[in-house]
């Protein structure tokens, strides 16, 4: 007689209902506690007669001095509370750069250029082909004009031309959407890791749009793909101390100067993954903007692992043995990213997770410490805290790892995968292409919460939490997905044979 297998309780429908009941009970514990108490009070009052209620009211002695003092105390406490309360930061609008068709790099074009640029090194060509086959990129990603030459011309002039094209196009679109004038902007923050000219890129924007002389401008470089959220964090801090202000945040990566023409495999990876892109975001702390703003900024959590040598050097710009400069990606990158993510979610978890998930995590932690260290650690269900996830589209491996670790569904990571497929890794601006995808699909509703997660050199893992202020209607004006969102999602095979 064959042995009977024990039932699979992990997939049991009854167990799922038990978990839902537990979540409902814990998350609404105060409600369940207060409703019977309020019902008892109301029932007691209803049972009293008119004479008893009148005598009860007459028994309450009100002293005029006490009433005045109590009123003043309430006013003082209310004033202190509203003065100490952080200002609400609104995301009014954002605009994204959509490269022209002439910049597109289909697989065939990329590989042909790779062969012509590496005629004496067929192994490098074969390596790039294998990476591209497994990258998750599509046929419509774009590279700047300088990279279309054979060989590429990563000159200062070409780099500046790319930066101006991407940044000015994004800012023009943003100003048109919002109707604000350049002189209305009080704070300007530009982040771009690989290209840091003199004068700075923020000065370039001030010059182009003839902004005010007292504008507070900042230029961030060398901070990797997570620099976009660092810029958001900096803008938030500045808006807390400068009332009635607009902050313009520009996130981009200039690809032209980062092209690597050597043979080191770890340095050839960025050639295969990084593509053109940029975003311009308008933030405000003006109360009158709350009605037209798309999102409210709820939290920003930053994690820096730079104290560890391996983490510091896992994304490292250096020269190869032949003296050719490039960015090297370490084999330990995914492990280091996982460690940084763990630290980040440990910080953000208590801020966003419902009480039911926090209690389960706490009980599991105590059980492992006290009873059995081999107990499997409980991974909080972040789907209870967020409706949408924008995971940095750094590559297929990054998205796969986060989907597995956070136990997300295919729909939760759809925006990240489709952004990688359509636009490639656009560095710090990729999160905004993902958010735009969710909007273009008509999935963003009022009250929805969005979690943006980005990784960057150093090594950093940064998170931002947004709450949708109003339902986003489709089609979204000026969206880079406007002419192609109907084709998505698409099936992305594990390997695309070239």
């Amino acid at each position: 007689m064959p042995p009977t297998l024990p039932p699979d309780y992990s997939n049991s429908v009854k167990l799922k209902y038990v978990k839902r009941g537990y979540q409902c009970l814990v998350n609404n514990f105060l409600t369940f506690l207060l409703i019977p108490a309020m019902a008892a009070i109301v029932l007691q009052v209803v049972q009293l007669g008119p004479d008893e209620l009148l005598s009860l009211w007459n028994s309450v002695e009100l002293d005029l001095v006490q009433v005045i003092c109590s009123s003043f105390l309430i006013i003082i406490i209310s004033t202190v509370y509203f003065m100490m309360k952080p200002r609400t930061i609104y995301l009014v609008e954002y605009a994204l750069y959509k490269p022209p068709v002439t910049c597109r790099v289909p697989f065939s074009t990329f590989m042909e250029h790779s062969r012509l640029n590496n005629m004496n090194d067929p192994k490098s060509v074969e390596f790039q082909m294998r990476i591209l086959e497994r990258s998750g990129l599509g046929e419509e990603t774009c590279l700047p004009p300088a990279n279309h030459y054979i060989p590429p011309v990563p000159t200062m002039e070409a780099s500046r031309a790319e930066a101006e094209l991407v940044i000015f196009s994004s800012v023009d679109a943003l100003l048109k959407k919002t109707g604000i004038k350049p002189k209305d902007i009080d704070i300007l923050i530009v982040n771009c890791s690989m290209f840091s000219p003199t004068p700075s890129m923020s000065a370039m924007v001030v010059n182009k749009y003839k902004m005010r002389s007292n504008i507070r401008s900042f230029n961030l470089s060398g901070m990797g793909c997570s620099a976009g959220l660092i810029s958001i964090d900096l803008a938030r801090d500045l808006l807390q101390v400068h009332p009635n202000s607009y902050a313009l945040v520009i996130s981009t990566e200039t690809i032209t100067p980062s092209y690597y023409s050597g043979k080191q495999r770890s340095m050839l990876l960025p050639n295969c993954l990084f593509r053109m892109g940029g975003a311009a975001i308008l933030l405000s702390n003006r109360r009158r903007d709350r009605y037209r703003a798309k999102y409210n900024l709820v939290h920003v959590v930053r994690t820096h692992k730079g104290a560890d040598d391996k983490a510091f050097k896992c994304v490292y710009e250096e020269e190869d043995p032949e003296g050719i400069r490039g960015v090297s990606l370490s084999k330990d990158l995914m492990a280091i990213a996982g460690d940084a993510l763990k630290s980040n979610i440990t910080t953000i978890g208590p801020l966003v997770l419902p009480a039911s998930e926090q209690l389960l995590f706490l009980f599991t932690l105590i059980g492992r410490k006290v009873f059995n260290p081999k107990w499997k650690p409980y991974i909080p269900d972040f789907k209870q805290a967020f409706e949408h996830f924008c995971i940095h589209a750094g590559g297929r491996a990054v998205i796969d790892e986060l989907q597995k670790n956070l136990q997300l569904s295919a729909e939760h990571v759809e925006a990240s995968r489709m952004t990688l497929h359509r636009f490639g890794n656009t560095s710090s601006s990729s999160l905004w292409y993902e958010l735009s995808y969710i909007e273009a699909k008509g999935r963003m509703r009022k009250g929805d919460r969005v979690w943006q997660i980005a990784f960057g050199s150093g090594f950093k893992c940064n998170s931002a939490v947004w709450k949708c202020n109003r339902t986003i209607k489709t089609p979204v004006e000026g969206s880079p997905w406007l002419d192609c969102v109907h084709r998505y999602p698409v099936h992305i095979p594990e390997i695309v044979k070239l």
Side-chain angles (χ1 to χ4, degrees):
M1 183 178 178
T4 57
L5 295 174
D8 184 7
Y9 292 107
S10 62
N11 294 322
S12 171
V13 175
K14 292 182 179 179
L15 189 63
K16 289 180 181 178
Y17 282 125
V18 169
K19 187 175 181 181
R20 285 185 184 179
Y22 161 77
Q23 291 170 348
C24 182
L25 177 63
V26 174
N27 295 339
N28 300 283
F29 179 74
L30 286 177
T31 304
F32 291 140
L33 195 66
L34 288 173
I35 286 176
M38 292 296 294
I41 293 171
V42 170
L43 185 63
Q44 190 69 28
V45 170
V46 169
Q47 289 178 349
L48 295 174
D51 296 335
E52 292 174 314
L53 288 173
L54 185 61
S55 62
L56 184 64
W57 172 258
N58 293 330
S59 66
V60 178
E61 296 181 1
L62 297 176
D63 185 8
L64 183 61
V65 176
Q66 290 179 350
V67 171
I68 294 173
C69 290
S70 301
S71 301
F72 272 111
L73 182 62
I74 293 170
I75 293 170
I76 291 170
I77 292 173
S78 302
T79 304
V80 171
Y81 170 76
F82 284 108
M83 288 180 66
M84 297 293 290
K85 183 183 177 183
R87 290 187 175 91
T88 303
I89 307 302
Y90 302 104
L91 193 162
V92 180
E93 187 59 88
Y94 65 97
L96 301 169
Y97 173 69
K98 183 179 180 181
V101 178
T102 52
C103 290
R104 286 186 182 176
V105 186
F107 294 155
S108 57
T109 303
F110 184 91
M111 291 313 305
E112 181 185 6
H113 285 212
S114 179
R115 291 186 187 96
L116 293 172
N117 290 325
N118 300 275
M119 293 182 68
N120 300 323
D121 187 19
K123 289 186 178 179
S124 293
V125 176
E126 184 183 350
F127 172 74
Q128 291 184 82
M129 183 174 71
R130 291 203 308 270
I131 293 298
L132 201 62
E133 287 176 338
R134 296 162 174 80
S135 64
L137 272 68
E139 297 275 8
E140 297 179 282
T141 62
C142 296
L143 284 172
N147 287 32
H148 288 258
Y149 287 91
I150 302 172
V153 285
T155 62
M156 175 63 76
E157 182 183 2
S159 301
R160 214 181 272 275
E162 181 197 346
E164 290 176 353
L165 174 65
V166 174
I167 291 175
F168 295 164
S169 299
S170 303
V171 175
D172 287 345
L174 181 66
L175 295 178
K176 182 180 178 182
K177 277 184 174 182
T178 58
I180 71 165
K181 299 176 182 178
K183 291 189 181 295
D184 295 333
I185 295 168
D186 305 280
I187 299 163
L188 171 65
I189 303 171
V190 181
N191 69 264
C192 180
S193 292
M194 297 302 297
F195 184 54
S196 184
T198 300
S200 67
M201 295 175 75
S202 59
M204 180 180 77
V205 176
V206 172
N207 176 258
K208 165 70 175 178
Y209 294 97
K210 310 305 177 189
M211 293 178 172
R212 301 198 319 256
S213 59
N214 64 343
I215 191 169
R216 297 168 181 86
S217 64
F218 300 84
N219 198 92
L220 307 182
S221 64
M223 306 194 80
C225 300
S226 66
L229 296 186
I230 295 173
S231 298
I232 295 294
D233 189 36
L234 175 58
R236 179 192 64 172
D237 291 343
L238 290 167
L239 287 170
Q240 289 299 332
V241 296
H242 297 289
N244 202 35
S245 298
Y246 281 123
L248 173 60
V249 175
I250 301 170
S251 292
T252 187
E253 188 58 78
T254 305
I255 306 298
T256 299
S258 62
Y259 178 81
Y260 174 67
S261 57
K263 301 176 181 178
Q264 291 291 111
R265 294 189 173 185
S266 61
M267 295 183 173
L268 286 168
L269 281 168
N271 287 358
C272 302
L273 298 175
F274 283 88
R275 297 294 187 266
M276 287 180 80
I281 305 105
L282 182 67
L283 302 177
S284 172
N285 58 13
R286 304 184 181 197
R287 290 183 63 84
R288 63 174 174 268
D289 285 323
R290 60 183 172 178
Y291 298 108
R292 68 165 179 162
K294 282 187 170 183
Y295 304 94
N296 300 341
L297 181 59
V298 183
H299 301 292
V300 178
V301 174
R302 293 167 56 180
T303 303
H304 204 309
K305 291 291 184 178
D308 179 74
D309 291 339
K310 281 188 176 181
F312 176 70
K313 289 195 172 183
C314 71
V315 181
Y316 201 73
E317 186 179 12
E318 58 185 346
E319 294 174 337
D320 67 9
E322 297 179 7
I324 303 173
R325 192 182 70 175
V327 177
S328 174
L329 303 183
S330 167
K331 292 180 180 178
D332 301 323
L333 179 60
M334 291 312 303
I336 292 166
D339 184 50
L341 175 67
K342 189 185 299 183
S343 299
N344 191 268
I345 63 175
T346 301
T347 306
I348 201 172
L351 299 175
V352 299
L353 286 170
S356 59
E357 292 299 309
Q358 294 192 47
L359 280 175
L360 282 174
F361 180 79
L362 178 64
F363 292 155
T364 307
L365 185 65
I366 293 172
R368 294 184 69 199
K369 294 287 185 183
V370 177
F371 300 107
N372 188 356
K374 294 183 179 180
W375 277 8
K376 186 179 179 182
Y378 179 72
I379 300 173
D381 185 5
F382 280 93
K383 298 187 291 293
Q384 298 289 327
F386 306 107
E387 284 75 31
H388 309 287
F389 297 80
C390 295
I391 300 167
H392 168 53
R396 168 176 262 161
V398 175
I399 301 171
D400 288 346
E401 192 69 18
L402 263 73
Q403 181 180 8
K404 178 183 174 183
N405 289 342
L406 297 177
Q407 299 177 351
L408 303 178
S409 67
E411 185 176 348
H412 287 125
V413 297
E414 181 184 311
S416 301
R417 292 195 189 280
M418 298 308 112
T419 295
L420 181 65
H421 181 270
R422 173 62 183 84
F423 295 100
N425 180 355
T426 60
S427 190
S428 58
S429 63
S430 66
L431 299 174
W432 303 103
Y433 286 91
E434 295 165 18
L435 187 62
S436 180
Y437 177 85
I438 298 169
E439 291 180 359
K441 279 292 183 182
R443 298 172 183 171
M444 192 64 70
R445 299 284 185 269
K446 183 178 179 179
D448 283 1
R449 297 154 297 177
V450 186
W451 186 15
Q452 292 181 322
I453 316 168
F455 300 94
S457 57
F459 188 86
K460 299 178 283 292
C461 175
N462 299 325
S463 292
V465 178
W466 303 89
K467 187 174 182 179
C468 187
N469 199 41
R470 56 182 171 84
T471 299
I472 310 298
K473 297 180 181 179
T474 56
V476 182
E477 181 188 356
S479 170
W481 297 95
L482 198 59
D483 63 344
C484 62
V485 73
H486 62 280
R487 294 191 275 113
Y488 286 91
V490 297
H491 172 66
I492 304 175
E494 289 293 324
I495 301 175
V496 178
K497 282 297 179 182
L498 302 181

